[in-house]
């Protein structure tokens, strides 16, 4: 049973455009929602994370929007650059030892 | 360089072979993890070790056998694997019990079972 559902599976966006990736969850005990970025041949690396007591968190061109009542959160990449081309994973955890539940990933391609 | 080193990076093994994957973290963390990454599927948590003790086995088949001799090293022993076990195996580590502490991943070991 997939606890975190991620969409779309892939995304093509032009340079300078906005990339939006959505995730939904069911477990209301989740209290930590990170996004990971993975380049080919590399392991995932933490990009940005949010806790459910805030509705939005911004770090540079990356913003997480969080809707607790809808049990949804999304990643927005503003002014997308070719260097942002990667696979993005949303995740959620509900316990203190960081047992992360991952979404299936979104492959983002930013065209020049 | 994330501070989590995995070897080998690539491994091809027959179904009757025995091999091991190695992970070493240089971050002083006390929790280590094995994840399996298959194409178009979510990362699957396999095992969790806290302070060298296994605290999670996520219904992983016994042909995968983890070992954590100390808090810096983690092994995944492989024997009589199946072709569907071909995947990227990721090691990760984290410090402490706070859920907001970052989990750091290694670059993974690509395993092909023939």
């Amino acid at each position: 049973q997939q606890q975190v559902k991620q969409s779309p599976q892939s995304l093509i966006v032009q340079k300078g455009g906005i990339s939006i990736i959505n995730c939904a969850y069911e477990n209301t005990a989740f209290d930590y929602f990170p996004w990971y970025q993975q380049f080919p041949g590399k392991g995932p690396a933490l990009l940005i994370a949010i806790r459910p007591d805030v509705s939005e968190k911004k770090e540079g061109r990356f913003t997480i929007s969080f809707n607790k009542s809808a049990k949804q959160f999304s990643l927005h990449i503003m002014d997308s650059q070719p260097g942002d081309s990667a696979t993005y994973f949303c995740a959620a955890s509900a316990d203190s030892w960081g047992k992360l539940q991952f979404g299936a990933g979104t492959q983002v391609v930013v065209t020049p | 360089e994330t501070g989590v080193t995995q070897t080998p990076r690539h491994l091809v093994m027959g179904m009757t072979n025995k091999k091991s994957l190695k992970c070493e973290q240089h971050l002083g963390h006390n929790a280590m993890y094995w994840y399996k990454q298959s194409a178009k599927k979510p990362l699957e948590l396999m095992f969790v070790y806290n302070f060298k003790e296994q605290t999670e086995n996520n219904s992983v088949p016994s042909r995968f056998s983890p070992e954590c001799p100390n808090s810096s090293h983690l092994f995944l022993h492989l024997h009589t694997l199946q072709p569907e076990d071909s995947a990227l195996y990721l090691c990760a580590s984290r410090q402490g019990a706070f859920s907001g502490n970052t989990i750091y991943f290694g670059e993974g070991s690509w395993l092909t079972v023939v």
Side-chain angles (χ1 to χ4, degrees):
Chain A
Q1 180 185 355
Q2 192 172 334
Q3 296 200 37
V4 180
K5 295 183 179 179
Q6 183 172 348
S7 63
Q9 186 174 336
S10 62
L11 181 61
I12 300 175
V13 63
Q14 285 191 326
K15 179 181 176 181
I18 302 173
S19 304
I20 301 175
I21 306 169
N22 300 299
C23 285
Y25 64 96
E26 288 298 323
N27 187 347
T28 55
F30 285 149
D31 63 358
Y32 175 63
F33 302 88
W35 285 89
Y36 280 79
Q37 180 187 55
Q38 184 177 27
F39 293 106
K42 301 290 186 181
L46 179 67
L47 183 64
I48 186 172
I50 198 168
R51 302 193 76 88
D53 52 346
V54 297
S55 60
E56 185 175 281
K57 183 174 182 180
K58 183 176 180 179
E59 290 185 2
R61 296 183 293 107
F62 300 91
T63 299
I64 300 179
S65 297
F66 187 83
N67 186 329
K68 189 174 181 178
S69 60
K71 291 184 285 186
Q72 294 176 347
F73 59 111
S74 60
L75 177 70
H76 296 235
I77 307 174
M78 312 300 287
D79 186 26
S80 297
Q81 300 296 312
D84 297 330
S85 296
T87 300
Y88 294 81
F89 295 92
C90 62
S93 70
D95 66 66
S96 61
W97 284 104
K99 193 166 58 181
L100 286 173
Q101 303 290 341
F102 283 86
T106 297
Q107 185 175 13
V108 174
V109 175
V110 182
T111 59
Chain B
E1 172 60 51
T2 64
V4 181
T5 303
Q6 291 188 240
T7 55
R9 294 295 316 279
H10 299 271
L11 177 64
V12 179
M13 59 185 290
M15 288 189 284
T16 59
N17 291 161
K18 285 186 178 182
K19 297 286 184 183
S20 297
L21 305 181
K22 178 183 176 182
C23 176
E24 181 175 3
Q25 58 97 357
H26 316 276
L27 302 168
H29 292 169
N30 49 30
M32 295 188 77
Y33 311 81
W34 279 116
Y35 281 86
K36 176 183 178 182
Q37 185 174 26
S38 304
K40 295 184 171 55
K41 291 177 67 176
L43 276 75
E44 301 171 53
L45 179 64
M46 301 175 71
F47 301 103
V48 179
Y49 277 83
N50 295 308
F51 296 100
K52 304 185 298 177
E53 300 297 321
Q54 186 182 128
T55 57
E56 181 92 17
N57 177 336
N58 206 23
S59 302
V60 180
S62 59
R63 57 186 184 268
F64 294 92
S65 174
E67 178 189 0
C68 189
N70 55 62
S71 57
S72 298
H73 293 85
L74 186 64
F75 294 89
L76 188 62
H77 303 301
L78 316 168
H79 62 99
T80 58
L81 295 190
Q82 303 299 310
E84 59 265 29
D85 297 322
S86 298
L88 178 66
Y89 289 85
L90 291 161
C91 175
S93 71
R94 197 182 75 147
Q95 177 60 32
F98 177 51
S99 66
N101 287 354
T102 302
I103 291 180
Y104 292 88
F105 286 88
E107 296 191 336
S109 293
W110 284 99
L111 173 66
T112 302
V113 181
V114 297

